[in-house]
Amino acid sequence: MNTHKRHLMSWVTGRSFGLDLPESGAATIVVESAEDVPRLAESGLLGSRTVVYSPEEGSAGEALQGAPAARIAYRGSFVEPGSEVQLGDAFFLQVQAYSIAGFLALLGPTAIRVTDQEDVEAFLADAEAAVDQGVWSDVMTNPAVQLADVTALGGHAPLDGPRLRLYVGRDHEVRLSPLGRTLGTVGDVLREPGEAAAFGPDRLPCSRASVTAVRERPWLGRYHAALRALQAARARGHEEARVSGFGMRFDGDLPLGPGAPDLGDPLAPVLLGCGETFLVHIPATGADFQTDRDTVHALERALVTPEAAEEQALRFVERFTAPAERVGA
């Protein structure tokens, strides 16, 4: 994955995709008005490793004093559902609302946004269907799709915050994400963006009840990890995969349901069955590898009933489960 693609995916989702937080400024910034770019440089929000996406009109040419940031011109909108972003002559990113994405033909890379109450309800319904029945949204397991702003939707993205990504709207207000809360205006806030942990998850564009519904589902972090595992499997040609803990177990005697131990750990290995092929996905690194049925059974027991698991399987799980505060994938 090239660096610019990492920046784009990171900005959309709030996951780092291997990007390190810069010592100064934000890693990625999207501006709706090119006139804000010089102001960002003056405010200290642009660092030597910042990538700035700004509208094509008025965005080319002049150097930014003290901030040798990469600058990428775009056409279209990163925000509006139904819109398209064009970067250069060959790359196009669709932007769609969650509740209608399943009814559309996705023609390439697509950012799915939760923009209103209907979108939130559709997202939660899909998550419930997955955890209860093992039924997965075809759109959300598509490798070309990225779900935007995952921390607001219960996803695990510990580096999400103003040092990872920022958005500056046409009103010149600075936000973590387009639909997030306002952090201030360009030039008077965030001269030294604080640690991501100080900000916590961004807000949802919905009712207080739905915000509470997300918070009351601690297994959503595991759901997001499983979606990424399924996307990786589909990218390798494995369709109709089953995921341990979501409507099934490879060992039918192990407990199921949102209260199962592995459903509360977004960094635990995700175990998949694709016919007679078995895969293990490591959320901490994004790594995937193929294994055999016996190993999957042993790993499943280690994840669900660690007190009774084989020592070898436990060592495997511990090896590939990184501390949450150190993981940015």
Side-chain angles (χ1 to χ4, degrees):
M1 186 187 303
N2 65 47
T3 300
H4 286 172
K5 185 176 180 181
R6 289 182 191 274
H7 278 273
L8 181 60
M9 293 170 65
S10 175
W11 184 84
V12 168
T13 64
R15 294 192 174 103
S16 71
F17 287 96
L19 295 176
D20 294 324
L21 295 181
E23 294 181 3
S24 62
T28 312
I29 304 177
V30 169
V31 299
E32 293 280 1
S33 174
E35 68 184 67
D36 278 322
V37 177
R39 296 174 183 173
L40 288 168
E42 294 169 2
S43 71
L45 288 173
L46 300 188
S48 60
R49 292 159 55 196
T50 303
V51 171
V52 182
Y53 294 89
S54 62
E56 188 172 82
E57 292 184 5
S59 66
E62 77 273 18
L64 301 176
Q65 273 195 333
R71 204 167 167 189
I72 300 174
Y74 71 86
R75 295 179 182 178
S77 173
F78 281 95
V79 180
E80 294 297 326
S83 65
E84 184 177 68
V85 181
Q86 180 179 352
L87 303 171
D89 295 327
F91 184 84
F92 297 84
L93 175 71
Q94 294 184 68
V95 181
Q96 299 293 352
Y98 192 103
S99 59
I100 66 170
F103 302 99
L104 304 174
L106 303 184
L107 303 178
T110 304
I112 304 294
R113 289 199 172 279
V114 169
T115 63
D116 57 21
Q117 185 68 29
E118 186 178 2
D119 289 337
V120 176
E121 291 173 358
F123 165 77
L124 290 175
D126 282 347
E128 293 282 359
V131 76
D132 292 338
Q133 306 165 43
V135 175
W136 298 91
S137 162
D138 183 68
V139 170
M140 295 314 302
T141 58
N142 186 324
V145 164
Q146 294 293 335
L147 179 61
D149 309 322
V150 295
T151 49
L153 298 167
H156 180 77
L159 295 188
D160 194 13
R163 291 179 61 204
L164 184 69
R165 60 179 184 143
L166 289 172
Y167 166 79
V168 185
R170 292 190 179 278
D171 54 6
H172 312 295
E173 292 189 339
V174 181
R175 299 175 177 85
L176 191 63
S177 63
L179 298 176
R181 62 185 178 277
T182 299
L183 303 177
T185 58
V186 177
D188 67 2
V189 297
L190 297 174
R191 291 180 179 274
E192 293 296 331
E195 293 297 324
F199 288 81
D202 216 357
R203 72 174 180 85
L204 283 172
C206 64
S207 69
R208 186 179 298 274
S210 288
V211 173
T212 300
V214 169
R215 292 174 180 170
E216 289 178 344
R217 289 164 170 78
W219 50 267
L220 280 173
R222 186 67 170 163
Y223 171 68
H224 285 279
L227 284 178
R228 295 183 69 196
L230 287 165
Q231 288 179 321
R234 285 185 65 177
R236 291 167 173 79
H238 299 291
E239 302 285 345
E240 305 298 329
R242 299 161 293 150
V243 184
S244 176
F246 290 85
M248 60 80 64
R249 292 290 188 195
F250 297 108
D251 182 341
D253 293 330
L254 295 175
L256 267 173
D262 57 330
L263 267 290
D265 185 356
L267 293 176
V270 181
L271 311 179
L272 303 93
C274 312
E276 293 303 310
T277 300
F278 297 92
L279 305 172
V280 180
H281 174 83
I282 310 301
T285 63
D288 301 275
F289 57 90
Q290 187 171 325
T291 187
D292 55 67
R293 182 186 301 272
D294 290 342
T295 300
V296 161
H297 276 251
L299 291 175
E300 189 176 53
R301 287 192 295 273
L303 290 170
V304 182
T305 57
E307 68 281 356
E310 294 90 336
E311 183 179 348
Q312 182 178 3
L314 273 177
R315 285 202 302 268
F316 178 95
V317 171
E318 291 168 357
R319 176 184 175 189
F320 289 104
T321 304
E325 65 272 17
R326 295 177 55 195
V327 176

